[in-house]
Amino acid sequence: MASVLNTVSSLTLSNAKTKRLRTPLVTAPISISITRRRLTVRATETEASEVKAQAPDKAPVSGGSGINQILGIKGAKQETDKWKIRVQLTKPVTWPPLIWGVVCGAAASGNFHWNLEDVAKSIVCMLMSGPCLTGYTQTLNDWYDREIDAINEPYRPIPSGAISENEVITQIWVLLLGGLGLAGLLDVWAGHDFPVIFYLALGGSLLSYIYSAPPLKLKQNGWIGNFALGASYISLPWWAGQALFGTLTPDIIVLTLLYSVAGLGIAIVNDFKSVEGDRALGLQSLPVAFGTETAKWICVGAIDITQLSVAGYLLGAGKPYFALALLGLIIPQVFFQFKYFLKDPVKYDVKYQASAQPFLILGLLVTALATSH
């Protein structure tokens, strides 16, 4: 990123003019061309008839929840206030795992102290990981998912036209540059000779881009895409928190990447509600590739086996009490998997995640504390 910024003298955002058609117009992905002196970002256009968007069987509930709207989850109220729509695009409901990852990294460093400076550093790191870079990721993903959303959820802000393409593109750039700026600030604040947090933020941002955007579009492959998503939510914020207060070591990198397999399972949970759109656009999510029944078991297997493996690692490392604590946190997750998720992963996805995921993220903290002792 630093080398690109040195050679790029201007950033130009331009969008193609849309034609008025009787059918809805769905814009195609942003195209990026880099010349020696200019980086141009353009939004090209395609007709919605090529996507064959259809209204979903279940439209949003009339007079939906304002809280759901702000959080960016199902059942959202249809909103016209642009700032509320901007917040909705960043999906604040997805920020806590990243913020928690920073907490785990700080705990694993063994060097966090409850003083004003360390608390301030951690808050800035959380702002970078959550609102800025997760907000960037979610807005970018919604931008590239607008064709799928036109099929599955046409009432969402972008496919419904509640926010313009220029406003979305501007938001993407502001959040990205804001996050990278905070990362650079943290490196200076921590006295790093090598800007490790900046490069972690840059790498995570590039991973988010290739996850959502063609030609790579990692999310087209259920295995690679979901693991990349899991690593973004578990490994990267942990690494940032640990690098801010201590040293990022190879054993922690391996352990957190292993934990990211559980993140893969969590990511699969969100694929079940998009099966129709994924299939129509040729995305090989695991529910599409293997069918709903098989994908359910792949999902819970990835979550449970990963945590059992980490518990085994802690036991082998001479941390039996931490291993037992982690096992105790796996049991309620299995209970809620059978109670909600395995019965109907679409109907009960929100209930399952609200019930089971708190135990998973507590397990992350247990693991972090174990590695710091």
Side-chain angles (χ1 to χ4, degrees):
M1 183 68 175
S3 61
V4 172
L5 289 175
N6 288 333
T7 58
V8 176
S9 61
S10 64
L11 301 177
T12 304
L13 300 180
S14 62
N15 60 287
K17 296 181 179 179
T18 57
K19 299 179 182 179
R20 294 188 175 275
L21 300 175
R22 305 180 88 181
T23 56
L25 195 66
V26 179
T27 46
I30 303 171
S31 61
I32 300 179
S33 59
I34 301 179
T35 62
R36 175 176 293 182
R37 296 190 177 183
R38 193 171 189 173
L39 169 65
T40 305
V41 180
R42 295 188 178 89
T44 57
E45 60 184 35
T46 57
E47 293 184 7
S49 58
E50 296 176 10
V51 181
K52 299 180 180 180
Q54 299 177 3
D57 294 334
K58 295 182 180 180
V61 179
S62 178
S65 167
I67 294 176
N68 288 17
Q69 185 273 325
I70 288 293
L71 292 177
I73 58 178
K74 292 191 299 185
K77 173 185 177 183
Q78 295 299 100
E79 187 57 71
T80 56
D81 184 286
K82 282 294 172 66
W83 285 104
K84 289 183 178 179
I85 292 171
R86 288 185 182 279
V87 174
Q88 181 182 2
L89 285 174
T90 66
K91 294 187 179 67
V93 74
T94 64
W95 300 351
L98 282 292
I99 292 171
W100 190 256
V102 173
V103 172
C104 292
S109 73
N111 292 320
F112 176 84
H113 301 95
W114 286 102
N115 57 47
L116 182 61
E117 183 178 9
D118 282 5
V119 170
K121 283 181 182 177
S122 63
I123 290 173
V124 173
C125 194
M126 291 172 186
L127 287 173
M128 174 198 73
S129 301
C132 289
L133 294 182
T134 306
Y136 150 78
T137 298
Q138 295 295 343
T139 306
L140 184 75
N141 189 63
D142 267 22
W143 173 254
Y144 283 107
D145 270 0
R146 61 198 183 281
E147 295 178 0
I148 297 176
D149 288 340
I151 297 171
N152 294 320
E153 300 173 283
Y155 44 82
R156 290 188 60 77
I158 296 176
S160 70
I163 186 168
S164 71
E165 64 180 34
N166 274 342
E167 289 169 323
V168 176
I169 293 170
T170 299
Q171 176 163 320
I172 290 170
W173 278 105
V174 168
L175 292 172
L176 171 61
L177 296 177
L180 294 177
L182 289 178
L185 172 65
L186 288 169
D187 278 317
V188 174
W189 198 349
H192 291 160
D193 294 327
F194 180 80
V196 59
I197 299 176
F198 175 81
Y199 280 108
L200 286 172
L202 178 61
S205 301
L206 292 175
L207 182 62
S208 298
Y209 180 79
I210 64 174
Y211 171 81
S212 298
L216 295 179
K217 199 163 188 172
L218 299 181
K219 66 187 300 179
Q220 292 182 117
N221 183 291
W223 293 108
I224 298 174
N226 285 329
F227 182 78
L229 192 62
S232 298
Y233 273 76
I234 293 176
S235 298
L236 286 172
W238 181 317
W239 297 349
Q242 184 154 348
L244 179 61
F245 295 103
T247 302
L248 188 58
T249 56
D251 60 320
I252 290 296
I253 292 175
V254 172
L255 181 63
T256 50
L257 286 175
L258 174 61
Y259 235 124
S260 296
V261 177
L264 177 150
I266 296 169
I268 297 171
V269 174
N270 296 313
D271 289 337
F272 289 92
K273 65 178 182 242
S274 304
V275 169
E276 181 184 351
D278 289 349
R279 186 178 289 118
L281 294 176
L283 299 182
Q284 287 298 302
S285 66
L286 295 186
V288 171
F290 293 96
T292 299
E293 287 301 314
T294 302
K296 287 191 303 187
W297 290 100
I298 293 174
C299 176
V300 298
I303 294 171
D304 298 342
I305 293 172
T306 297
Q307 292 178 92
L308 289 170
S309 300
V310 173
Y313 166 82
L314 295 178
L315 185 63
K319 309 289 176 64
Y321 296 112
F322 288 101
L324 286 173
L326 184 55
L327 286 173
L329 291 167
I330 296 171
I331 293 170
Q333 294 178 61
V334 175
F335 171 78
F336 288 119
Q337 286 164 1
F338 280 94
K339 182 177 181 180
Y340 293 126
F341 183 72
L342 293 173
K343 284 184 178 178
D344 190 330
V346 176
K347 182 179 179 180
Y348 295 118
D349 66 329
V350 175
K351 280 188 176 181
Y352 164 67
Q353 293 189 75
S355 302
Q357 285 196 21
F359 295 99
L360 185 141
I361 63 174
L362 283 174
L364 279 170
L365 183 58
V366 168
T367 304
L369 292 171
T371 59
S372 70
H373 286 70

